[in-house]
Amino acid sequence: MYFIHGKDREGAILKEAVNEKAVRAMRAFLEAIGVDLEARGMEKTPARVAKMYAYLFNGMNRGTEDIWGETFPTGASGLVAVRHIPFYSMCEHHLVPFFGTVDIVYLPREGRVAGFSKFTQLVERIAHQPQLQERMTAQIAQAIAHDLGAEGVLVKVEALQLCMTMRGDLAPGTRTVTSEATGTFRADRSAYQQAWLTLGGEP
């Protein structure tokens, strides 16, 4: 590996490792499809792309149990919703982005809840890998059910798939919606409807 400069979220300068194998592979790929890197002033592009994909795929081969930290007793028995969580992911079929929002509603077990920010971290980790929207939706729901022991989970994902808007027949503005329910929300129709109402929609 070698190192290039970057910035963290607070703007501090830091050095980040870039995978030399990925850099060589990206350079070979661009040259193979006819891009003259030197002529176009793109000599640094392979390293930039390798660094970007290392970030976009940093959720691979990682569990989710370590995200949650301490949970909190509330004494409440109602549903909890976290809505409009933004995400960016990469379609595994063409390696182009799909992005949108995630809505989550869950029924905590014995009123114990997780911090709201933990759900954004969960979405980011699951999204940061080659993905399918349907799989990502299911993985988010399953992680909340498993890690928090939630009695029921409903997840809705709405996304713009760039593979639909940039290629083939083109479909600008088309959005895809997926959902996944677990536990009580899968077994009990009334609870399922209540969960959807909490998200501001209808089943």
Side-chain angles (χ1 to χ4, degrees):
M1 292 185 175
Y2 68 93
F3 292 86
I4 60 177
H5 287 290
K7 288 188 176 183
D8 65 14
R9 292 181 178 176
E10 285 70 43
I13 298 296
L14 57 105
K15 290 186 176 181
E16 295 185 8
V18 174
N19 187 308
E20 290 185 22
K21 183 177 180 181
V23 175
R24 291 194 300 270
M26 180 52 59
R27 182 178 295 112
F29 169 73
L30 291 170
E31 291 173 349
I33 61 174
V35 179
D36 187 331
L37 298 176
E38 184 174 353
R40 299 180 68 90
M42 294 172 58
E43 295 91 342
K44 295 182 180 180
T45 294
R48 293 188 184 107
V49 175
K51 176 186 174 185
M52 180 189 71
Y53 272 86
Y55 169 70
L56 293 176
F57 291 164
N58 66 12
M60 291 192 301
N61 305 315
R62 299 177 68 187
T64 58
E65 295 90 344
D66 64 304
I67 289 173
W68 305 102
E70 183 182 5
T71 58
F72 308 95
T74 63
S77 59
L79 304 181
V80 178
V82 186
R83 301 178 58 192
H84 307 308
I85 301 171
F87 80 90
Y88 299 85
S89 192
M90 300 294 286
C91 170
E92 67 181 43
H93 291 160
H94 302 99
L95 293 184
V96 294
F98 68 98
F99 57 92
T101 58
V102 177
D103 293 336
I104 298 167
V105 59
Y106 74 107
L107 179 60
R109 184 173 298 277
E110 298 178 350
R112 295 195 68 88
V113 301
F116 292 128
S117 67
K118 306 301 184 182
F119 294 91
T120 63
Q121 294 174 37
L122 173 69
V123 169
E124 180 177 316
R125 182 169 298 182
I126 292 176
H128 276 206
Q129 54 190 289
Q131 269 292 15
L132 297 175
Q133 182 176 335
E134 298 89 341
R135 181 196 301 132
M136 188 182 84
T137 307
Q139 288 178 338
I140 293 169
Q142 291 161 5
I144 297 168
H146 176 269
D147 299 348
L148 297 182
E151 295 185 14
V153 182
L154 175 65
V155 175
K156 173 191 169 188
V157 177
E158 183 171 349
L160 178 64
Q161 302 271 349
L162 290 190
C163 61
M164 293 180 63
T165 61
M166 296 174 64
R167 58 182 290 277
D169 295 331
L170 303 181
T174 302
R175 302 187 75 84
T176 54
V177 179
T178 50
S179 65
E180 184 78 13
T182 73
T184 298
F185 298 153
R186 180 184 288 273
D188 185 329
R189 179 66 181 177
S190 176
Y192 180 70
Q193 292 175 327
Q194 184 182 2
W196 274 105
L197 289 172
T198 301
L199 291 183
E202 296 182 1

